[in-house]
Amino acid sequence: MTAPVQETPGPVVALPVYAGVSELELGVMVTVLRLCGGEGCALTVNRSRASIVTAGGLVSTPHVLYAALPDPAALLVPGGPGAARAARDPLLRTFLAAHAHLPLAASGSGALLPGEAGLLAGRSVGGPVELADTLWGFTPDEVRPGAVVTDGLLCTAPGGLGAVHAALHVARHVWGEAAAQEAAERLGAAPLLG
């Protein structure tokens, strides 16, 4: 039996998590979201509520199952060494494809997840330099290794602190430019909004 998800007064952003997710990228994303939307606006999601081990060895328990997630306003996908394996999960691919109409941002190897779900085809894509050849395999129009690239509702960024760019992209769409600007200023990341 799963615990009920606490109701939030505002929009919810879903963050798919998996074994080997980068706790740095996940932590940065959750921090930006909470600065904009408050507690409860960021929900980690997985096929099960069983605890997962992150890339750095921390243990984390997803907030909710895919099927129990309230309608999200956007999706954020952190990278990590487990991303390639997670990208092959048919349930995760279906989940991402079902929400293709929402703002979506991925950092680092997290771009593999929307790639496997068919969401990078015909798009301009950024991301890690070391994954450039792999990203081309998802038939984007353009791959800009090492760059943060926004193409409509999609943002792809390099790993690590590139997660700030991804989270601010989603924050702009969900809570507006002023909220994203305030979060960036509080994090000392205001130059990233330029």
Side-chain angles (χ1 to χ4, degrees):
M1 180 167 183
T2 61
V5 175
Q6 182 178 353
E7 289 296 318
T8 58
V12 168
V13 176
L15 296 100
V17 292
Y18 47 87
V21 70
S22 165
E23 61 269 19
L24 169 66
E25 292 179 32
L26 178 60
V28 164
M29 290 174 169
V30 169
T31 298
V32 170
L33 296 177
R34 287 183 178 165
L35 286 172
C36 293
E39 278 302 312
C41 71
L43 293 178
T44 55
V45 61
N46 193 296
R47 66 172 37 250
S48 130
R49 291 212 59 240
S51 295
I52 59 169
V53 179
T54 66
L58 297 175
V59 176
S60 177
T61 302
H63 291 112
V64 66
L65 304 171
Y66 295 121
L69 179 71
D71 287 335
L75 304 177
L76 264 173
V77 185
R85 181 173 182 202
R88 294 188 299 272
D89 178 351
L91 185 58
L92 177 53
R93 286 195 312 261
T94 300
F95 171 77
L96 292 171
H99 295 92
H101 61 286
L102 297 176
L104 167 67
S107 61
S109 58
L112 299 173
L113 282 71
E116 287 290 344
L119 305 182
L120 302 183
R123 310 296 291 274
S124 292
V125 180
V129 172
E130 64 274 12
L131 289 180
D133 290 341
T134 304
L135 293 174
W136 276 114
F138 300 124
T139 63
D141 280 346
E142 170 186 34
V143 174
R144 295 186 4 218
V148 175
V149 177
T150 300
D151 182 340
L153 295 177
L154 174 69
C155 176
T156 46
L161 294 178
V164 174
H165 290 282
L168 289 171
H169 167 81
V170 164
R172 279 188 197 99
H173 284 281
V174 176
W175 292 285
E177 186 64 40
Q181 180 68 40
E182 183 180 339
E185 288 171 2
R186 290 181 68 186
L187 292 171
L192 297 180
L193 290 172

